[in-house]
Amino acid sequence: MFVSDDYRYQGGNYERYAPSGGYYHDGHEPTQEEDAQSDATEGHDEDDEVYEGEYQGIPHPDDIKGKQKKKAPAMVDEFRDKADLIAERVEDEEQLAHQYENIIEECGHGRFQWTLFFVLGLALMADGVEVFVVGFVLPSAEKDMCLSSSNKGMLGLIVYLGMMVGTVLWGGLADKLGRRKCLIISLAINAAFAFLSSFVQGYGFFLFCRLISGFGIGGSLPIVFAYFSEFLSREKRGEHLSWLCMFWMIGGIYASAMAWSIIPHYGWGFSMGTKYHFHSWRVFVIVCALPCISSLVALKFMPESPRFLRPGPHVFLVAHIKTPKQIDEFIEIQSSTGRWYQRWLVRFTTTFKQVWDNLLYCLTAQYRMNTLILAVVWFSMAFSYYGLIVWFPDMIRYLQNEEYESRLKIFNREHITHMTINFTLENQIHSNGAFVNTKFAKMKLKYVTFEDMLFEECYFEDVTSSETFFKNCTISSTVFYNTDLYENKFIECMFINCTFLHQKEGCHLDFEQENDFLIYLVSFLGSLSVLPGNIISALLMDKIGRIKMIGGSMLFSAVCCFFLFFGNSESAMIGLQCLFCGASIAAWNALDVITVELYPTSKRSTAFGILNGLCKLGAILGNSIFASFVGITKVVPILLASSVLVAGGLLALRLPETREQVLM
C-alpha cells in the first residue's frame, strides 16, 4: 500500500482497490451497461484521447459523449491553426490539473507519502552534507596535500561550481526522462565520486572528484521538490514541502557532528609505505556519503511521479481523463535505423533540444516576469546567506588569531649553547640571537619565526613544523635529518656546509588544531538554529502565504545583519550567526514551495534547476567577496548583505500568491 488504504502501486502502475466486484462506487450500483464501459481502463481512444474507467467526482462517459454530440465535428489536426492547437492544449492541461488534484485529494495523505518524505529527505540531506564537507576537511587536507592559499580557495569553490552546472542539467533532464530516474543517476554519481575522493592522494584528482560529486548532488534539490510536490494535495503542499526542507538542516548537523567525532582522531587512519596515507579526514568523507547511498537504495522501491508519467491506460483507474493535445511529438528512432552511435546522437540532440526548449519556455511572456523576479530573489538570498555563513567562521578565526597573537612571546638577543630542545615551541619570535651546538629532537615548531639568527653546529632530527619560517638567518655546519623544514621555509638565509638527510615526504598532520572544535561547534549551532524557523514556517506556510513568508523573512534577516556591528567577540559572532540563520530559513522554505507551484509539470524541474543554478552562482560570488574583507572591515559585508536582502524581499512581494493554486 503506497498512496492510501484504497490505492496500490504494482509494476509501475497505480491501481484502486475495488471494494465491491472490482469497482469503485459513488453510492449506487452500476448498471450492466455501465459495467461494460467502466471495467478497469479500456485503453486509449486515438480520436479524443479519452481513458475510461470509473471515479467519483469525474463526469461519466455518457455525459461527456452527450456534450460532444452538440459540438461541431472536430477538424483534422493537420488542417487546424497551431494557435488553436496550443489553446486546446492549454485547456486540456487545466482540466487535467484539476482532475489530478481531485485524485490526489481522494487518495489522502498516508503511509506512502511519509515513506517518500524520508527517502527524498535523505537525498536533500546529502545536498546539505556536500556543502559542509570541504569546509571541514580543508584544515586537515591542506597539510595532507601541501595546499597553497589559491589551492584552498579553489577547493572551497569547486563544489559550488559542480552543483551549479548539475542543478541546471539534471533539472532539465528530469522533465524529459523522469524525476525518479534522474535522481537515481545523479545520486549514484555523487556517491561514487565522493567515495573515490576519500582515497585519491593528489590534489588534482581530489579536486576533480569533488567537482563531479557536486555535479551529481546538484540534481537533488530541483528534483526532490518537484517529485514530492506531485504526490501532495493542495492543502498539504506548503506545509509538507517545508517539513522536507528540514533535512537540509539535518545534513549540516550530521556533517558537523561527524567532523567533530572523526577528524580530530588522527590515529583512525593508516599508511601504506611513505607514499599512501589515509588519515581520519578521509574516513569522514566516506561517512558523509552514507545519506546519499541510503536514499539511492530506497529510491529503487519508489514509483515515478504520476504527474510526470501523464495519465496512461493504467496510471489511475478513473472515469474520464483527457490528455493534453500533443504537438510535434518526438518519434523514437527505430533500432534498425542507422548505426548505434547515430541513434544515440539523434536521441542526445533531441533530448538536448527539448531541454533547451523547456528552458526558453520559462522566459516566454506567460512566465517571463515571474522567472526574472524569482531569479533576483534566489540570487540575493544565496549571495547574502552563503556569503555570511562563510564570513562568520572566518571572522571567528580572525578574532581567535588576534587573541592568539596577543600572547606572542618575543626573544631578542638570546644565546643558547650545548642544549637539547625536545618540547614544542609555539607562538614565538626569536631574533638577533644564536643557537650553538644545540640539538632540536622529536619536537614541534608551531607559529615560530627565527629572524636574523645564527645556527652553528646544530642538529635537527624528527622535527615537524607549522607556520614556521627562518628569515635572514645564517646556518653553518648544521644537519637536518627527517624534518619537514623545506626550502620554502627559509627566506633569504645563508647555508654553510649544511646537510639535509631523509626529508619528510609530503605534508603531515603533525598536531591537532586546538580551535578546530570551535569551528565544528559553530557550524553545528548554525544548522541547529534554523529548527525553530523551520517549524514556524511549516505551520504558517499555508496560513499566511508564500509571498509574505519570503518578504517578511528576508526583511527580518536584513535587520539581523545590522546587529553584526556589535559582534566583537567569538560568543557574539556565534549568537548572531544563529539569529541570522534562524531568521532566513523561512524565506528559503517559501522559495522552494513557490518555485514548484509557479510552473507546470513539464517545466517544473527545469525552472527549479535554472533558479537553483543562479543560487549557486550567488553563493560563489558571496563566498569570494565576503571572505576578501575579513580582517579589513565589517562595514562592507554587513551593508552589502542587508541591502541585497532588502531589495530581494521587496521585489518578492510582486510575485503571485500560489497557496490556493492547483499544480499544473
Side-chain angles (χ1 to χ4, degrees), residues 195-467:
F195 185 80
L196 182 62
S197 70
S198 67
F199 292 96
V200 298
Q201 294 291 296
Y203 168 73
F205 277 123
F206 184 78
L207 196 69
F208 174 76
C209 287
R210 296 317 302 185
L211 172 66
I212 305 301
S213 175
F215 169 77
I217 202 61
S220 64
L221 208 64
I223 300 176
V224 159
F225 284 101
Y227 192 1
F228 192 50
S229 68
E230 291 165 4
F231 283 98
L232 298 173
S233 61
R234 177 169 44 192
E235 68 270 12
K236 298 283 186 181
R237 197 164 55 235
E239 177 185 349
H240 286 271
L241 286 177
S242 298
W243 291 127
L244 185 65
C245 294
M246 291 182 64
F247 280 93
W248 199 93
M249 170 205 70
I250 295 172
I253 294 175
Y254 175 81
S256 304
M258 291 301 102
W260 199 347
S261 303
I262 296 173
I263 294 179
H265 298 281
Y266 297 131
W268 287 17
F270 63 89
S271 298
M272 297 175 62
T274 58
K275 298 291 185 181
Y276 191 89
H277 302 279
F278 193 90
H279 294 294
S280 58
W281 68 267
R282 297 179 182 273
V283 178
F284 165 71
V285 172
I286 293 178
V287 171
C288 284
L290 295 181
C292 178
I293 296 172
S294 302
S295 179
L296 182 61
V297 173
L299 275 170
K300 300 294 289 184
F301 303 96
M302 295 291 105
E304 180 55 272
S305 163
R307 288 184 183 269
F308 167 78
L309 287 173
R310 317 295 292 182
H314 304 290
V315 176
F316 281 109
L317 295 186
V318 299
H320 188 93
I321 285 187
K322 183 174 182 179
T323 59
K325 180 68 67 178
Q326 301 300 316
I327 304 172
D328 298 332
E329 274 293 305
F330 167 62
I331 299 176
E332 173 70 15
I333 186 170
Q334 299 298 315
S335 59
S336 60
T337 305
R339 298 182 181 275
W340 67 268
Y341 60 85
Q342 292 174 319
R343 295 193 295 272
W344 276 105
L345 181 61
V346 170
R347 294 189 183 101
F348 174 80
T349 53
T350 304
T351 302
F352 177 80
K353 183 179 184 304
Q354 291 173 328
V355 172
W356 180 253
D357 289 342
N358 270 5
L359 189 151
L360 295 179
Y361 184 84
C362 297
L363 296 175
T364 56
Q366 183 180 1
Y367 295 101
R368 184 184 302 121
M369 185 56 65
N370 290 340
T371 300
L372 293 177
I373 293 176
L374 278 174
V376 174
V377 177
W378 271 94
F379 183 88
S380 60
M381 273 298 298
F383 180 82
S384 302
Y385 180 83
Y386 287 103
L388 284 177
I389 65 170
V390 169
W391 184 75
F392 279 119
D394 286 347
M395 279 298 298
I396 291 173
R397 289 190 185 97
Y398 174 75
L399 293 173
Q400 287 177 333
N401 290 337
E402 279 194 330
E403 194 274 334
Y404 184 78
E405 291 175 359
S406 68
R407 304 196 309 266
L408 177 67
K409 297 178 181 179
I410 300 176
F411 300 88
N412 190 31
R413 299 185 181 278
E414 60 181 342
H415 191 87
I416 298 175
T417 61
H418 299 89
M419 182 178 179
T420 298
I421 302 176
N422 55 7
F423 48 86
T424 299
L425 299 182
E426 179 180 356
N427 197 19
Q428 300 177 0
I429 294 179
H430 298 262
S431 61
N432 299 305
F435 289 92
V436 179
N437 198 12
T438 300
K439 182 177 182 179
F440 299 83
K442 297 181 180 179
M443 63 165 301
K444 300 169 184 176
L445 298 170
K446 182 178 180 181
Y447 289 91
V448 178
T449 300
F450 298 100
E451 191 170 359
D452 297 314
M453 295 289 293
L454 170 65
F455 293 86
E456 186 174 359
E457 296 183 356
C458 294
Y459 186 76
F460 291 81
E461 180 182 1
D462 197 16
V463 174
T464 56
S465 62
S466 175
E467 299 298 325

Side-chain angles (χ1 to χ4, degrees), residues 634-648:
K634 293 195 300 183
V635 175
V636 174
I638 294 172
L639 292 181
L640 192 58
S642 57
S643 59
V644 168
L645 285 170
V646 168

